[in-house]
Each structure stands twice: as C-alpha cells, then as structure tokens.
Amino acid sequence: MMATSQAEASAFTVNDVTVCPICLEKYKTPRYLPCKHSFCHDCLHSYIVSQSKSTEPRLGFHCPICRVYIPSLGDSGKSEEWADRFPMNVFLQKMVEQPNEKHCEACLRDGDEEEAADFCVSCNEYLCKLCTKYHRKNLGTRDHDIFTVDEMKSMQVVPKVNIESCCFKHQQEKVQLYCHDHEQACCALCGGTEHRKCDRVDTVEDAVTFLRENGQMESLLNELSAFQMKYLKAKTEEEKTLSEIENTVDENVANVEKEYLELVHHLEKLKSKHIEELFVSLKEGREKLQRKIERLDDGILCLNHSKTEVEDAQKKTENDAEVLAKIVSAKRKLLELKSLNFSQLHVTISVMKTPKWREVTELTTIADVKLSESCSFLNFDIRTAELKKFKEFSVEAGNVFFGVFLSEGRFLIPNHNAISAFMVYDKNWKCIEIIGGLHYACSACQCENEIFLTKSESKAIDVFSSTDFHKLRSITLNDKVYGITGLNGYLYAACETHILKLNKNGQILKKYKVDGSNNVHVTTTQSGLIVFGNFVSETITAMTEDGRVVWKYQSPKLKGPHDLDTDSCENIYVAGSTSNNVHVLSNTGELVRVIEGIPSPYFFKINEEERVACVCSKNNTIFVYRF
C-alpha cells in the first residue's frame, strides 16, 4: 500500500534509511542486493517480475537505484522466485521494528539499562560506550564493524555477508564444499545429504587449487570470452539490422511521399486536362446546337408569317387576287421549308473512364508490407548436434586436402596438383569462380577482405581479393608452407618443422620450433591457442602465444589426422583420414565427441551461422551436412 497522505509522506523521506525507495514506506521484510541497496521484499519482487516481462526470459536485472546489473540467483524462467533468493537485511528490519531502542542490549541481558551509543553490525545489537570500549579490545570482537547510532540512521548498512559465499539451498550457511560431480558449491549440510554419494567432494580451498592448477579456471575464462565475443558480435549485427530496417522504412516513407506528390501532380494535370476536354466538348456542342436552334427559329418565324398570311386571306373575301397571292406565297414557303430537310440535332457528352482509373480508385493499399525474420541460435553444442547429409559432389581431378569457409557463406577448395586451381562455391553450393594456374595450391584462409592461399612447392603465399578474387600480391618465403590460419589480423602458417607467425605483408614476427617434421595442419582459437597436427606421429598439440605447450592429444581411434578447424565454443575438429572419423576436442585437449561414419575425411569445416558442415572425403568428394 502506497503512502496515503502528504503528512505521512513528509514523515518518511527518501533520506530516511528505514524507508523503501520504491514504495516510500517503512521497510517490510527488507532484502538487499549485491550493490548494497535494500528494498521491501514485495517491492523487489514486483520490480523484478515487471522487468523480466518486458523482454524474453532474462538472466538478471538492473538495480532500481544505481542501475548496476544484478545476475539472477535462480532459474532464468522463474523471475518470480528471484526476490526470495536475496538475503534479509536484518539491520534495517531491526531499525524498523525497534525504532526507539535506546538501551545497550548487552547490558539489558544483565538487567542493567544503559543508554545505547553505538551499534555493532557484526553482532546486530546496540551497545553503550563501555561495552563498545571492551568490544573493541576483545580479540574475538575487535574486528567487528561498529557505528554510532546517528551514523546508522543516515547510511545504507547491510550484513557483512557475501551473497555468493552462501549456500544456494541454505542461505544462512556458508559454502564449505565443492562437488565435482554436480559442479556445485554447497554447505556442510548439503555435503552430508545430497552429495554424500558423489565420487568427489572437496573443501573450498582444495577445489579452488584443483580448478586453478588443472586449467579449468583458465578454460572457463576463455569460454566466457568466446561467448562474450559471440554475443557482442550478434548484438552488433542486430543493432546494424535495426539501423538497416529503420533506414529502409525512412527510405520507403520518403519514396512514398515523393511518389504521392508526383501522383498528385500528375492527377492534377489529368484533372485539368479532363475538365478542359469537357468544356471544349461543351463549347462545340453548344455552338452546334445554337446554329440548329437559330435555323429552327428562322423556320418557325417563316412558318408563323405564312400561317398568319393564310389566316388573313381566309378572312378576306373582297379581293380574291390578294388572297390567292398569299396562298401561293405560303405554299411556296412551305415547299421551300420541306426541301431544306430541317433536322433535329441530338448532342450528348459522355465520359468513359479508363480501366486503369478504376484500378486506381479500387486500390486498398499502395504496397504489401511484410516483416520477415529468421533466427540462428548462438549457443552451438556439437555434443548433441545431429548431422544430416544434404549435398554431395565430386571435384574433377581432385587432390583436395584443405577447405575453408569465406564470408557470405561461400566455400573455397584448393586443388593440390601441378595444374591446380581453387574453386569457390556460393552458399547454395554452386561453383561461382575457378582460379587456375596456381601450381600446387594447398590451403587458404580469409583475413578481412583478403584471401591468403599457400603453394607448398613454390614456397609462396598468394593473396587474392575476397570480393572479385583478382590477385593482389605474392609473399615469398624460405620454407614450404602448407596449412594456414588467421587470428586477430595475423597469419599462422605450418611449415612441417615449425610454425610461422606473420603479418599480412608476409613479415615473419615469430618462429615456433615444434616436434617432428610432418606438422602441416594448423588452426587457432579465439583465446589465442595455436593448435597443430602431425599426421605421422598422429599427435595434436596446443601451445600458447609464447610457445608454451599446454596439451597434446593422441588416441588409438584417431588415425591419419589431417586438417583442423575450430568453432565459437573453441572446440577443435580433427579429421581422421584413415580412422574414418572426426575427433572433437575441447580447448583443454579433452575428447568431446567422435563423429563416426565419414569415409576418409581430409577436412571437416563448420559454419555455425548457416548451420552446415563441409567434409572432403577421399581427396575428391565433398559432403555437406546440416546440423
């Protein structure tokens, strides 16, 4: 219930720490957020639910006061339960319930009534000056936070407890254990009940040490960074899409306004022309009818005159000659009138509107407006993805070892032979470009608007435009270069015994010496791992930017490892050309999945946006899968 009068409102001001900043009334079951702001339970619950309903299911909300982002402490789809998860502010509750408390609570336990001067936040009780003095001397309480009573009335005070360090199920208990099976932190009570049969439950200290030394913390950080980049990219794309549809609407509105004015102007011209034609027709008809009317008037006057003469003659009897003359004259005029073939003119003006005018008047809309949308999922999980082959084609005289997705869903395949070429396919898998005469084209990658293509036998990298595929330049090296990949504007090239880091102009920035002499495949992860494969020792190795090896992977089920690829989750795909499978590894080198049933795969490339995977089988056949 909101404040009901101005007097009540003036009594409970925003500066009063016992007043909820949402309802402006005394706190009722106050709960506090990690940002230290407190609210009534019902106020916080209503605010969270209203914020969550404004968009799709959310993962958190902003504090109503400071706008700091607060992650939810419960399920994303159950925002009505979030408020229950935030801890009670027992200090505010006490200040509301005991607003006039003036006595030291420690002394009251001994039956003494001493005036309270301070408040211990750690003990949640009022103290007199003497008790405060000894409180600060005692080894068990000397570190407690103590404030004066006046300070307590003018500052935001919350219990000295970190919400994240409390057990999710038992909020009053601190986290003491970590269950590796459920990946869940819990209190001792949960450890002795829910997790008593789990294989591994460590203390908090041992769990943190294990997670740090095992690389899981770094792996989690890398995965979070990868997801953050993916979400930021998606947000940027959606903001760009929003701008584009706004521009589209603005352009269409401007075009409609322009076309409307042009149409109005044209209709005005048509109206003026039509009215002019009507008046011209009226003038012509009037003139014709006027001439007819004048002639008929002339005939009528002549007939009237003749008729009068005959009538006069009929009355006169004294002069027969005069009577006869009038009769003869009247007959002659009548014969003359008959011979002139007088006619009656009928004139009408008809208006026949054209069919197109009727079409205009029958229009109910200028154009059909349709909002089209498509959705691609950001969270891609190869562990559960089901692959379905929908395309298969052969590469003529194929000797294919590598392939790469380009921008706009295109795919490039270099054909590795003496008269080799690279073929570019559009997103519908139609060949749109063939560039020949490359001489043992090997691998390729795209960096911004350029395609870098390796040629192993000529020890060179050719650079092409990614828009029209014309050659821009050639980079000459001292080594045979096979696999190539790009990361953050740099190139990483596999040269059998070492990996080269180059800039886009071909300048060698770093040379990594690696084990063995058959390292011809390389890829990189968003977190900066350089992953390369040796197809003879059948080993996949990952090293950091400074050349430190962090893991190696071998498996009896992986034979003849060839090209490598990564996805946005930093999974690494290894094509097992002789084991007829693809091994999917995490960025810590652990096996995530083995994709079986692919005959002799030489590469396995993922395009998450299009939800497709492209595989080369037996050097000459391309399979395309949807997932």
Side-chain angles (χ1 to χ4, degrees), residues 221-237:
L221 183 61
N222 292 336
E223 189 172 358
L224 288 170
S225 299
F227 264 81
Q228 183 185 38
M229 291 181 65
K230 187 192 298 186
Y231 278 54
L232 287 172
K233 180 181 177 182
K235 179 186 174 184
T236 301
E237 290 295 327

Side-chain angles (χ1 to χ4, degrees), residues 362-625:
E362 291 172 0
L363 282 177
T364 58
T365 181
I366 294 175
D368 292 331
V369 179
K370 183 180 179 182
L371 177 66
S372 300
E373 59 182 82
S374 61
C375 182
S376 58
F377 294 99
L378 296 179
N379 300 337
F380 166 68
D381 190 354
I382 190 61
R383 293 173 298 181
T384 57
E386 182 180 356
L387 277 67
K388 296 182 179 179
K389 185 169 67 174
F390 76 96
K391 191 80 173 178
E392 178 179 342
F393 59 91
S394 298
V395 177
E396 187 176 354
N399 191 32
V400 177
F401 294 94
F402 298 86
V404 63
F405 275 104
L406 305 176
S407 56
E408 300 174 1
R410 300 169 298 172
F411 195 79
L412 183 148
I413 299 176
N415 199 355
H416 186 69
N417 52 42
I419 53 172
S420 64
F422 71 72
M423 292 75 71
V424 180
Y425 298 82
D426 64 15
K427 63 188 338 180
N428 297 316
W429 300 96
K430 177 182 178 182
C431 186
I432 58 174
E433 194 76 35
I434 298 177
I435 305 297
L438 298 176
H439 192 65
Y440 289 104
C442 195
S443 178
C445 72
Q446 180 177 351
C447 284
E448 296 178 350
N449 295 321
E450 295 181 331
I451 298 171
F452 294 82
L453 182 86
T454 63
K455 299 192 299 183
S456 57
E457 298 303 318
S458 55
K459 301 181 180 180
I461 301 173
D462 286 346
V463 187
F464 297 84
S465 165
S466 64
T467 54
D468 58 9
F469 305 106
H470 74 276
K471 186 174 179 179
L472 300 174
R473 61 187 181 277
S474 186
I475 299 171
T476 303
L477 300 172
N478 295 323
D479 304 281
K480 288 184 178 182
V481 57
Y482 296 90
I484 190 169
T485 189
L487 179 67
N488 299 329
Y490 297 105
L491 302 172
Y492 295 85
C495 303
E496 295 187 300
T497 60
H498 53 273
I499 307 292
L500 294 178
K501 178 181 179 181
L502 310 96
N503 63 21
K504 293 195 294 184
N505 294 321
Q507 179 184 1
I508 298 176
L509 305 176
K510 202 162 188 176
K511 185 175 181 178
Y512 302 93
K513 179 67 177 176
V514 296
D515 294 337
S517 58
N518 298 283
N519 299 283
V520 296
H521 308 283
V522 65
T523 190
T524 52
T525 67
Q526 289 295 327
S527 60
L529 284 181
I530 305 167
V531 185
F532 54 93
N534 187 313
F535 67 89
V536 173
S537 65
E538 297 178 332
T539 304
I540 307 302
T541 305
M543 66 180 178
T544 58
E545 174 67 24
D546 58 8
R548 178 173 57 89
V549 174
V550 290
W551 54 262
K552 291 187 177 184
Y553 176 81
Q554 285 182 308
S555 170
K557 295 182 178 180
L558 176 64
K559 300 296 182 181
H562 271 71
D563 204 7
L564 309 171
D565 195 20
T566 60
D567 62 23
S568 60
C569 298
E570 300 209 342
N571 295 313
I572 297 123
Y573 298 81
V574 186
S577 62
T578 56
S579 54
N580 300 317
N581 54 26
V582 175
H583 285 231
V584 186
L585 312 178
S586 70
N587 65 352
T588 58
E590 297 174 350
L591 182 64
V592 173
R593 177 182 179 181
V594 177
I595 303 173
E596 300 284 3
I598 302 177
S600 189
Y602 278 83
F603 64 69
F604 185 95
K605 298 293 181 177
I606 285 281
N607 184 333
E608 295 176 54
E609 291 184 3
E610 298 296 330
R611 308 292 283 187
V612 297
C614 184
V615 183
C616 177
S617 173
K618 301 179 181 178
N619 291 119
N620 58 12
T621 304
I622 304 298
F623 298 151
V624 186
Y625 297 87

Side-chain angles (χ1 to χ4, degrees), residues 26-270:
K26 290 291 186 179
Y27 280 111
K28 301 177 186 67
T29 318
R31 294 187 182 273
Y32 66 95
L33 304 179
C35 60
K36 309 305 181 187
H37 289 114
S38 299
F39 308 92
C40 296
H41 174 275
D42 290 344
C43 294
L44 183 60
H45 172 270
S46 299
Y47 172 77
I48 292 174
V49 171
S50 65
Q51 291 294 303
S52 300
K53 285 182 177 178
S54 62
T55 62
E56 295 180 3
R58 300 180 65 163
L59 301 172
F61 60 96
H62 293 278
C63 170
I65 302 299
C66 63
R67 307 306 297 166
V68 166
Y69 183 76
I70 309 295
S72 70
L73 298 183
D75 296 338
S76 61
K78 298 180 179 179
S79 58
E80 67 277 3
E81 298 178 0
W82 293 358
D84 301 337
R85 299 290 183 181
F86 293 101
M88 288 273 294
N89 191 328
V90 292
F91 304 140
L92 286 177
Q93 187 72 16
K94 186 168 188 175
M95 292 174 70
V96 172
E97 292 175 350
Q98 304 174 13
N100 299 317
E101 179 62 57
K102 297 181 179 179
H103 297 103
C104 171
E105 294 181 73
C107 292
L108 284 174
R109 285 192 288 272
D110 291 335
D112 299 328
E113 292 186 358
E114 296 292 335
E115 184 179 359
D118 302 294
F119 186 87
C120 177
V121 173
S122 303
C123 297
N124 190 25
E125 65 179 12
Y126 290 96
L127 301 173
C128 63
K129 290 184 177 180
L130 184 62
C131 288
T132 299
K133 177 180 178 181
Y134 287 108
H135 214 70
R136 287 173 172 159
K137 286 184 176 181
N138 191 294
L139 286 175
T141 58
R142 65 188 302 174
D143 294 330
H144 287 193
D145 292 325
I146 300 175
F147 301 96
T148 67
V149 172
D150 291 336
E151 287 175 332
M152 287 292 294
K153 293 179 180 179
S154 60
M155 62 188 293
Q156 287 283 350
V157 181
V158 296
K160 197 175 181 181
V161 177
N162 188 355
I163 298 174
E164 287 79 8
S165 66
C166 295
C167 176
F168 183 79
K169 190 170 183 179
H170 306 98
Q171 295 184 17
Q172 304 304 319
E173 301 292 332
K174 288 188 176 182
V175 168
Q176 296 175 292
L177 303 171
Y178 178 78
C179 174
H180 291 269
D181 295 10
H182 295 94
E183 296 185 337
Q184 187 178 36
C186 61
C187 64
L189 181 60
C190 291
T193 54
E194 294 184 12
H195 303 285
R196 62 188 179 86
K197 293 184 178 181
C198 294
D199 291 336
R200 182 170 182 179
V201 178
D202 285 341
T203 63
V204 170
E205 294 76 12
D206 290 343
V208 170
T209 301
F210 172 78
L211 294 174
R212 183 180 284 117
E213 293 178 352
N214 195 41
Q216 290 191 35
M217 293 180 70
E218 184 177 357
S219 174
L220 176 61
L221 183 61
N222 292 336
E223 189 172 358
L224 288 170
S225 299
F227 264 81
Q228 183 185 38
M229 291 181 65
K230 187 192 298 186
Y231 278 54
L232 287 172
K233 180 181 177 182
K235 179 186 174 184
T236 301
E237 290 295 327
E238 291 194 351
E239 289 174 341
K240 180 182 176 183
T241 302
L242 176 59
S243 177
E244 288 175 352
I245 64 174
E246 288 175 343
N247 291 337
T248 299
V249 170
D250 290 342
E251 290 173 4
N252 276 275
V253 169
N255 289 336
V256 167
E257 292 287 353
K258 179 183 176 183
E259 290 169 358
Y260 169 76
L261 293 175
E262 291 175 350
L263 182 59
V264 169
H265 179 67
H266 184 61
L267 288 174
E268 286 288 347
K269 288 175 63 177
L270 291 179

